Amino acid sequence: MLSSLAAKLRESLSLLQKQDIQTASQALGSQWITGDVLLGDDCAAIPDGDGYLLLAAEGILPQFLDIEPWFAGWSAVMVNVSDIYAMGGRPIAVVDTLWSQSHSATQPIWDGMKAAAKAYNVPIVGGHTNCHSPYNALAVAILGRAKQLISSFKAQPGDLLLVATDFRGKSHPKYPFWDAATTADPIQLREHLEILPCLAETGLCDAGKDISNGGIIGTILMLLETSNCGAVLNLDKVPCPKELALENWVISFPSYGFVLSVRPRNISAVQSYFHQQNLVCEVVGEVQLGHEFVLRSRQEEIVFWDLDQQKLTGFSKAGLTQ
């Protein structure tokens, strides 16, 4: 039943962790709605000349770092690169902050970061390293640049929601992660990501997010919150790898995955960019007036989340007019 699926999805750890972002929105208060930079997007977009500098950072879960140090190093670079491209930009360089219990503990982490930096052609240009820590910890920050933006704040009622992803991968045995990157051709990886700035610069898409560890469900919800909209997601239309059940896929973190909010007249053109590279890109729902995120399956509908009643991150376009 749809109601039991919705209840399970609401309690998923990946979605609950997104609510931690409220600590940032509450701590910053009204400061976040002033000036030229909106908080709540995949990157901070800083106006610069005829474009934008993009600045973002990601921390790695300590347990993940301890159990999978190489993959954690790779992922720290990958997720930052994805954030830059998700906003229509191209990466310039990354820096890292690495704390470890010994010199030897850093080696697999470095190997993973270097492998990803090479695959995505993004140099590691500095950071901070400490090998006398009582714990292991890793965070990576990235700088990029965009000519035109794809923003979380630009979804509009009437837009259609697209999910774009790559099924040429496999599910991680321990984590809800779909890996279509670590064994892929690096040139192909970069060509796939280059689609996003092309869509921004041609004016075909100005709204969207990369699919993060909140999965498709959490990412759409964050997009709706920042854009101050509602939506219907048709679960029967969500493309899903054969290896996974839909309820697991919609909360999975893909190495390549984006939710785009697109004007109906541009749908075919946007899809063609992805289909030409044998990527999945399908319409899964529609942005609507109001603040309810509705799940639909067969003849059933249920309000999954009402943003008037419960915030997710606390960042919203609604605050810009207050």
Side-chain angles (χ1 to χ4, degrees), residues 157-238:
D159 284 359
L160 297 180
L161 292 171
L162 289 170
V163 166
T165 190
D166 188 354
F167 282 177
R168 292 166 294 188
K170 61 182 180 179
S171 183
H172 192 278
K174 299 177 183 176
Y175 298 95
F177 180 80
W178 180 259
D179 180 8
T182 56
T183 60
D185 175 25
I187 294 175
Q188 186 180 73
L189 285 179
R190 299 195 291 269
E191 288 176 346
H192 290 172
L193 288 166
E194 181 64 22
I195 293 172
L196 281 301
C198 287
L199 293 178
E201 290 163 12
T202 56
L204 289 173
C205 179
D206 64 357
K209 291 184 74 68
D210 76 326
I211 299 173
S212 65
N213 63 349
I216 292 170
I217 292 286
T219 300
I220 291 176
L221 185 52
M222 287 190 290
L223 175 66
L224 298 178
E225 184 175 34
T226 48
S227 291
N228 196 31
C229 295
V232 172
L233 172 65
N234 190 332
L235 292 170
D236 302 329
K237 293 186 177 181
V238 174

Side-chain angles (χ1 to χ4, degrees), residues 11-94:
E11 295 303 315
S12 69
L13 180 61
S14 59
L15 191 60
L16 293 174
Q17 287 174 338
K18 290 299 181 184
Q19 294 178 292
D20 293 347
I21 300 172
Q22 289 185 34
T23 62
S25 61
Q26 292 165 1
L28 294 171
S30 61
Q31 289 181 334
W32 78 274
I33 62 171
T34 63
D36 296 320
V37 181
L38 302 180
L39 274 66
D41 234 325
D42 287 318
C43 305
I46 305 165
D48 182 63
D50 60 351
Y52 301 85
L53 289 174
L54 301 178
L55 185 62
E58 296 279 355
I60 296 298
L61 291 172
Q63 183 184 20
F64 181 32
L65 186 64
D66 288 338
I67 296 174
E68 300 269 4
W70 185 94
F71 192 42
W74 168 284
S75 298
V77 173
M78 179 215 45
V79 294
N80 276 287
V81 168
S82 183
D83 280 343
I84 294 291
Y85 279 105
M87 290 195 64
R90 297 175 178 89
I92 296 172
V94 300

Side-chain angles (χ1 to χ4, degrees), residues 104-166:
S104 61
T106 68
Q107 193 58 54
I109 301 170
W110 276 117
D111 289 345
M113 285 196 291
K114 289 189 298 181
K118 182 178 180 180
Y120 291 107
N121 195 28
V122 183
I124 301 171
V125 298
H128 174 87
T129 306
N130 184 307
C131 297
H132 297 85
S133 169
Y135 52 83
N136 298 320
L138 175 66
V140 170
I142 192 166
L143 180 69
R145 185 169 178 81
K147 296 177 183 177
Q148 299 291 332
L149 294 178
I150 296 174
S151 172
S152 302
F153 289 84
K154 292 294 185 67
Q156 301 176 14
D159 284 359
L160 297 180
L161 292 171
L162 289 170
V163 166
T165 190
D166 188 354

